[in-house]
Amino acid sequence: MKIRLGKTADDTRRFNRLAGAALALALALGAAAPALAAQAWPAYSPQQSQALQTQGKTVLVDVYAPWCPTCRAQEPVLEKLLKEPEFAGIATLRVDWDGQREQARALGAPRQSTLLLYRGGKRVGLSVAETNESRLRAFLRGQLGRAAD
């Protein structure tokens, strides 16, 4: 059985080109979704980090790569935790592992999915590749001087 999508072969080819373009666009948007989500956190700069700490904030620096499955697993857990009242004093900044790798290394991040906490101009915490909610909560609490669960 032969199916034609238009009255002519040209109509069928035109349909196939449009369908291919629509598929390519959908795939591109799907691939961009993690990158768009990654932009929700303010970008890291030493000046921004210092300014936040001068205001008395503890600063959580997330070394992130949109292609990193661990980073993508950390993100919703951190967003949930940071909405809790006890963590209201934590400001967040994000280092793009691919675009700011030298800065990430200068901060002491061995890889993407590294979390660094700063308070009073000093690094007070480091966590690498942790995605467990209770351990991340304990990490944040411990660095804020609170007892962990």
Side-chain angles (χ1 to χ4, degrees), residues 3-145:
I3 299 174
R4 288 182 64 171
L5 298 173
K7 293 182 181 182
T8 67
D10 284 339
D11 290 339
T12 301
R13 282 191 291 276
R14 192 172 308 119
F15 174 83
N16 288 337
R17 278 194 307 273
L18 287 173
L23 178 60
L25 178 61
L27 291 172
L29 290 174
L36 294 173
Q39 295 174 5
W41 290 33
Y44 171 85
S45 75
Q47 299 80 11
Q48 182 67 11
S49 179
Q50 183 58 45
L52 290 166
Q53 291 178 69
T54 300
Q55 297 169 14
K57 297 275 188 182
T58 297
V59 177
L60 174 64
V61 177
D62 178 21
V63 181
Y64 188 92
W67 49 262
C68 169
T70 305
C71 298
R72 291 194 315 258
Q74 278 178 335
E75 186 172 40
V77 176
L78 288 170
E79 287 179 355
K80 177 184 175 189
L81 290 172
L82 292 168
K83 288 178 184 175
E84 295 179 5
E86 69 181 299
F87 302 125
I90 297 178
T92 59
L93 296 173
R94 179 163 281 163
V95 174
D96 173 25
W97 176 253
D98 296 322
Q100 297 177 292
R101 190 164 306 180
E102 286 184 32
Q103 283 190 320
R105 296 277 190 199
L107 292 170
R111 54 173 278 183
Q112 73 283 351
S113 73
T114 298
L115 303 173
L116 304 129
L117 270 169
Y118 291 87
R119 188 175 57 242
K122 295 181 182 180
R123 187 174 82 188
V124 296
L126 172 78
S127 174
V128 179
E130 183 59 67
T131 59
N132 178 277
E133 182 177 337
S134 62
R135 286 192 292 265
L136 284 171
R137 180 179 281 111
F139 169 73
L140 295 174
R141 281 184 182 160
Q143 306 318 315
L144 293 175

